[in-house]
Amino acid sequence: MLGSSIDVSQLFEALYQTLLMVSISLVLGALIGVPLGILLVITKKGGIWEQTFIYHLLNPIINVLRSLPFIILLIAIVPFTKLIVGTSIGTEAAIVPLTVYVAPYIARLVENSLLEVNSGVIEASQAMGASPFQIIRYFLLPEALGSLILALTTSIIGLIGATAMAGAVGGGGIGDLALAYGYQRFDTMVIIITVVILVVMVQLIQSLGNLLARKVRKN
């Protein structure tokens, strides 16, 4: 026991569930969000592959999804979640709304990172006859890599906060533990333990992200 109504095994199970939700939804969200962010940059007016129809289609969709608080999004896409995993309760089910939540978030962060790249780099690559794909692969992404690392770090931290809210609908993880034992059973010690764990996780991830970004920028 930990001086509360939970034991160490429950704590580790909740931590595992949180890490599972964060890692899978981050990978899936990045697979969707990174290409979307690149598309936003290259298809906008004056972009290297100007396609304003695509830009004006994607931009409002991303804005709408980003404007929804996660708890509302979680409930709003319950039918979609059931369609994908067959249930709306549990860790696997929570991964679906987490992915939908983080993908547009990553897209916007990637867009901002790429827009920071000096326009002279793009002009030089175009002068050398590089294709849009080559510009993205060899100029845009390498130049923005440090900023992209920080963007993904921010996304991970946002996901950790979202997983805590997923506990409200039985998503499992640290948030579920805090709600079921800390809030509903008035166990202050559980609240303290879960808060400490979340704070430590965020600090470690932010520090690692900052370190990687600094190394990339130095090189």
Side-chain angles (χ1 to χ4, degrees), residues 15 50 77 117 131 148 171 185 190 194:
L15 182 58
E50 187 175 321
I77 66 168
V117 175
S131 66
L148 288 171
R185 300 188 185 184
V190 173
T194 53

Side-chain angles (χ1 to χ4, degrees), residues 78-94:
V78 163
F80 178 68
T81 302
K82 286 183 177 179
L83 180 66
I84 298 296
V85 296
T87 180
S88 61
I89 300 173
T91 302
E92 289 183 2

